[in-house]
Amino acid sequence: MTTTGKMELMAPAGNFESMQAALDNGADSIYFGVEQLNMRARASINFTLDDLKEISERCKAKNVRTYLTLNTIIYDHDLTIVKTLLQKAKDAEITAVIAMDQAVIASARAIGMEVHISTQINITNIETARFYSMFADTMVLSRELSLRQVKKITQQIAKENICGPSGNLVEIEIFGHGALCMAVSGKCYMSLHSSNSSANRGACKQNCRKKYTVIDQETGFEMELDNEYIMSPKDLCTIDFLDEIVDAGVKVLKIEGRGRAPEYVANVIKCYRDAIDSIEAETYSKEKVISWMLELEKVYNRGFWSGYYLGQKLGEWSNGSGSHATQKKVYIGKGMHYFPKTSIAEFKIEAYDLTVGDTILITGPTTGAKEMEITQMFVNDVKGEKGEKGDSITFPIDFRIRPSDKLYKIVENKVEV
């Protein structure tokens, strides 16, 4: 639960790189999965039980809360690992578990662990919220609600003094940015029927992102679909009406993206951190929104729409299967050494070339995702303007790099929309 009046910004963490990117760019909390029992079991490099202590310690050092996602369908053969995982998370002092199965909710409550209700529960009214307040302090509402419906629920929570196990008013969380799917609040059976791979067990094959032709079986008539991917919604973006979300009484804004790259996490969290702080400082403006939108367009997206929050037509579909990002990263090389006395980093170029003036991205489990411009560099110990494959390059940098770090060049991405 939040400890201040400001809306909490929750970041996705599919691995240590993304987690560090979230910590560096102003997240108030992170959510993550461990191995197979989460809704992104195949979409990202999930953490292990042994990672829980490090996750907790690194986040505590930044005063960032940690939420374990355990929100898949649970079968009898899963119960032992569920209880083991919850106990390990509690021992590591993970803040809370995000759950939808009653077995997980009950098991977490039995050991005194804070519970957050997942969107898969599909909470759409005050009575359902009241019921789950017996078990949880924070609830993610159904993705299909309008802001007006969200506001009515938060007002009734305050009016009727509906409190969670902590004794504090129940806090409402909504999705603020990232991928949406055709399913109702994330529950989908398409992947299961087509590939025997259950989306509700974190193994979605993303059938809805493909291009389909609709044919009338009786007449053979092929329907005109205006080249839209009719089951693949555009990505949700709320930064242009974030002030209305704050006004609706939302306490936690969740950014989707545990399967996306660390630079995505860094970029999106930075923009929404700025936006939330601007609302608090009463400096939120159309000019700032335009600037944030340009930044958000640089990283992976399928185009943007406002979801169902503003009561618009149902569905805005993407017109392609890939990203509409205006920038992309190109792998250049790997970290070799860092010289702390002179703040110089050394990299080995393994592909393509790098020139003074290029924008680079450095990612790593401890480094996170750092973007900067090359203003000067040495190539094989000689000052130069361009490094090529096989060269050793050094340049000044204000943070430590490690041998596990990867070096990328950021280039313009020409996408046909």
Side-chain angles (χ1 to χ4, degrees), residues 219-290:
T219 66
F221 175 73
E222 184 175 316
M223 294 179 67
E224 287 252 355
L225 301 176
D226 296 329
N227 295 318
E228 290 186 333
Y229 284 58
I230 62 168
M231 292 182 289
S232 180
K234 293 179 180 178
D235 283 4
L236 175 65
C237 180
T238 64
I239 205 161
D240 56 335
F241 58 95
L242 199 60
D243 53 340
E244 296 180 50
I245 290 176
V246 172
D247 181 64
V250 172
K251 294 298 184 183
V252 185
L253 191 76
K254 185 174 191 174
I255 306 300
E256 191 278 337
R258 276 185 291 145
R260 294 189 177 176
E263 65 271 17
Y264 171 90
V265 177
N267 179 296
V268 176
I269 293 302
K270 184 177 187 301
C271 288
Y272 277 86
R273 175 77 278 152
D274 288 346
I276 291 171
D277 291 347
S278 293
I279 292 170
E280 185 79 2
E282 299 183 353
T283 59
Y284 180 83
S285 65
K286 289 183 179 179
E287 291 75 21
K288 285 188 175 182
V289 167
I290 292 171

Side-chain angles (χ1 to χ4, degrees), residues 48-66:
T48 68
L49 282 173
D50 293 336
D51 293 327
L52 287 170
K53 185 177 180 182
E54 182 177 351
I55 292 168
S56 179
E57 290 176 348
R58 284 170 63 170
C59 288
K60 277 185 177 182
K62 290 288 190 79
N63 197 30
V64 169
R65 289 175 287 282
T66 49

